[in-house]
Amino acid sequence: MSELSFAAPAPGSALTQWLSYCERIHPTTIELGLERVAKVAQTLQLHFDCPVITVAGTNGKGSTCAMLEAIALQSGYRAGVYTSPHLVDFEERCRVGGEIVQADALVPHFEAVEQARFAAGGDSGPVSLSYFEFTTLAIARLLSHSKLDVAILEVGLGGRLDATNIVDADCAIITSIDIDHIEFLGPDRESIGREKAGIMRAGKPVVVSDPMPPQSVIAHAEAIGADLWLAGRDFNYSGDRQQWNWAGRGKRFHGLAYPALRGANQLINAAGVLAAFQALRQILPVTVQAVREGFAIVDVPGRFQIVPGQPNLVLDVAHNPHSVAALAVNLDAMGFFPVTHAVFGAMHDKDLVAVMQRMGPLVDRWYFTDLPLPRAEKAADLVKRWQALQMVAQRPREVPASAHATPQLALEAAVRAADPADRIVVFGSFYTVGGVLSNGIPRLDAPHWKRDGNTSPSSESDR
């Protein structure tokens, strides 16, 4: 891969300059493969002196990482976490000891990666790294220098060829698997499962929390001799409206409070988290009290996040049919709202028709939004897709749709149209939810949201 000619930021430059540089130096946004990133990692002498848990899957990765982190912290461990993408600020991708790292702390590691890719390339020129590869190496290096007791790494795309897979996991977790990113991972769950299974290591535990995993996942674990923990076979959970129980390989937890993360699907993720800690009990023991406290305090913005106020506001990064189905179930469980307004924006490679079909019965008015990426579906095209679905519906009902330039403008339009008893759901891409969180969590009952016929934020600071 030839290097594009761009001047690197000067030593000590701001993180924003480094991120802008990373966006420009590689000819493609996504390029799977470990050869280039592994070469730079070797030059960096990247390694971890603590247990590493790697989490792959289509949905539930972020929630799983957050639960792992919360329980580890409550057990007194110094935990480091790498997740992606971020909602508002890049620094959200890295936490150490429960705190988001400061931008200045990341800069020396970007500088080190830049030096290493030149050294690794030798006479052939610097090793070309994508934005994700470059930033992953920088964050991994920071974590490896942070004297951690446990490192938790969320896979970006797939698993086998993802940049995070240069690190050997002491325990792998594979969450729910659904069809997504088919141009990179394959057209069906078996193909996608095979890619996710690539994070497994021989002789090491792998927890599969998907209750119906593709056979390719099981086959790969057996082929390499991984210690396979299957939901329903090696661990299970049960519960009622007040509490839940977990059992697996000689350990039981009774009378657990439900995780603070909302949504029925979170028990699937929580059960996998407990299986991982049980699998690592010899090197990373946790107490029952830490489990209880960890589940009680865990928080992940943008995962069925309910913002108090009038109208009711729900934020969720669901953007594929599987995650949207879970969102629909959770919305149904919220009870009755006279009108549901939906703000939605997503990438054009998603199964947008399936998403609209699943959410359609719940939505009374759509507010589609543009997003600041070439891969994003245009709001006007989303309107056309919805109108086409309306035309072929057997028993259509009138559900209006409008197009907006930004998520913030779409939300403002929804607020103007909504009554206090209504519900607004903002969902889709991280850029959709992040777009309404970019200036903090909206307070829809605050004075600047009053519906006076000319409603808009009263000052630039409110945007």
Side-chain angles (χ1 to χ4, degrees):
M1 182 66 65
S2 62
E3 170 72 6
L4 301 184
S5 179
F6 294 103
S13 296
L15 177 62
T16 53
Q17 292 175 267
W18 277 102
L19 295 175
S20 178
Y21 175 68
C22 291
E23 289 175 343
R24 299 194 305 270
I25 62 172
H26 197 70
T28 59
T29 303
I30 299 173
E31 183 178 354
L32 296 179
L34 297 182
E35 181 179 353
R36 291 171 297 102
V37 71
K39 185 182 294 186
V40 179
Q42 184 176 8
T43 303
L44 285 168
Q45 298 182 328
L46 181 66
H47 70 281
F48 285 84
D49 297 321
C50 65
V52 175
I53 305 173
T54 302
V55 182
T58 307
N59 299 303
K61 292 181 296 182
S63 298
T64 295
C65 289
M67 290 187 223
L68 289 167
E69 177 191 26
I71 293 173
L73 291 173
Q74 292 302 309
S75 295
Y77 295 122
R78 182 171 170 83
V81 184
Y82 169 43
T83 63
S84 66
H86 57 274
L87 280 173
V88 179
D89 298 312
F90 179 86
E91 301 94 293
E92 297 169 25
R93 297 185 180 213
C94 183
R95 297 188 297 275
V96 174
E99 300 293 331
I100 295 173
V101 299
Q102 297 298 308
D104 290 347
L106 282 164
V107 168
H109 301 283
F110 277 79
E111 295 172 349
V113 173
E114 178 71 355
Q115 293 170 6
R117 74 187 191 93
F118 273 83
D123 294 338
S124 301
V127 176
S128 185
L129 297 175
S130 70
Y131 176 94
F132 181 77
E133 291 167 340
F134 200 119
T135 57
T136 295
L137 284 171
I139 291 175
R141 187 174 188 269
L142 181 148
L143 292 175
S144 71
H145 286 216
S146 296
K147 299 180 180 179
L148 301 177
D149 297 310
V150 58
I152 302 162
L153 308 178
E154 178 185 351
V155 170
L157 178 63
R160 181 176 65 92
L161 299 177
D162 187 81
T164 56
N165 204 30
I166 59 171
V167 180
D168 291 328
D170 294 279
C171 179
I173 301 178
I174 297 177
T175 64
S176 64
I177 296 174
D178 195 31
I179 296 174
D180 204 0
H181 297 295
I182 59 175
E183 69 274 32
F184 297 105
L185 305 180
D188 51 50
R189 292 183 77 238
E190 290 298 327
S191 302
I192 294 170
R194 196 171 295 112
E195 293 297 320
K196 308 288 186 187
I199 67 169
M200 301 178 187
R201 295 296 189 268
K204 300 293 186 179
V206 53
V207 174
V208 180
S209 53
D210 190 324
M212 298 182 65
Q215 183 59 36
S216 58
V217 172
I218 300 171
H220 186 72
E222 294 173 345
I224 69 170
D227 177 19
L228 180 61
W229 288 61
L230 276 180
R233 187 192 74 180
D234 299 280
F235 64 96
N236 57 70
Y237 68 91
S238 61
D240 54 32
R241 292 189 176 185
Q242 279 73 43
Q243 59 189 17
W244 67 289
N245 309 306
W246 183 94
R249 293 204 192 176
K251 182 71 174 180
R252 293 179 180 273
F253 291 97
H254 294 287
L256 295 172
Y258 282 87
L261 298 178
R262 296 179 176 89
N265 54 315
Q266 292 298 353
L267 273 193
I268 296 174
N269 300 325
V273 165
L274 291 183
F277 278 118
Q278 182 63 6
L280 293 172
R281 63 191 179 279
Q282 298 300 326
I283 58 174
L284 199 70
V286 298
T287 66
V288 175
Q289 187 62 23
V291 169
R292 295 183 186 279
E293 292 175 355
F295 282 141
I297 66 169
V298 65
D299 177 58
V300 187
R303 272 70 165 187
F304 202 62
Q305 179 182 359
I306 299 177
V307 181
Q310 292 182 325
N312 199 282
L313 175 64
V314 180
L315 308 173
D316 200 302
V317 293
H319 55 264
N320 57 49
H322 185 271
S323 59
V324 167
L327 170 61
V329 170
N330 294 331
L331 291 173
D332 269 337
M334 288 180 67
F336 173 74
F337 292 85
V339 177
T340 293
H341 307 256
V343 174
F344 177 69
M347 302 301 113
H348 64 68
D349 57 352
K350 304 303 176 185
D351 191 347
L352 299 173
V353 171
V355 167
M356 291 179 182
Q357 287 175 328
R358 185 64 183 86
M359 286 291 289
L362 297 174
V363 174
D364 300 293
R365 183 160 186 170
W366 289 95
Y367 306 80
F368 295 116
T369 178
D370 289 330
L371 298 175
L373 285 135
R375 287 178 52 230
E377 184 83 344
K378 293 294 185 183
D381 292 332
L382 288 170
V383 171
K384 292 176 183 177
R385 284 178 182 266
W386 173 248
Q387 290 173 340
L389 283 175
Q390 290 281 86
M391 290 177 64
V392 300
Q394 292 183 347
R395 301 177 66 182
R397 60 189 179 97
E398 185 175 353
V399 178
S402 54
H404 305 271
T406 68
Q408 183 70 27
L409 291 173
L411 177 60
E412 291 175 20
V415 171
R416 285 195 296 270
D419 288 329
D422 290 349
R423 171 173 64 183
I424 301 174
V425 182
V426 179
F427 76 107
S429 166
F430 276 73
Y431 288 89
T432 305
V433 176
V436 303
L437 289 175
S438 57
N439 287 304
I441 296 176
R443 286 293 306 275
L444 302 191
D445 54 352
H448 60 269
W449 288 108
K450 285 183 179 178
R451 297 161 187 80
D452 56 7
N454 185 25
T455 308
S456 62
S458 57
S459 70
E460 188 62 30
S461 64
D462 290 325
R463 293 181 184 273

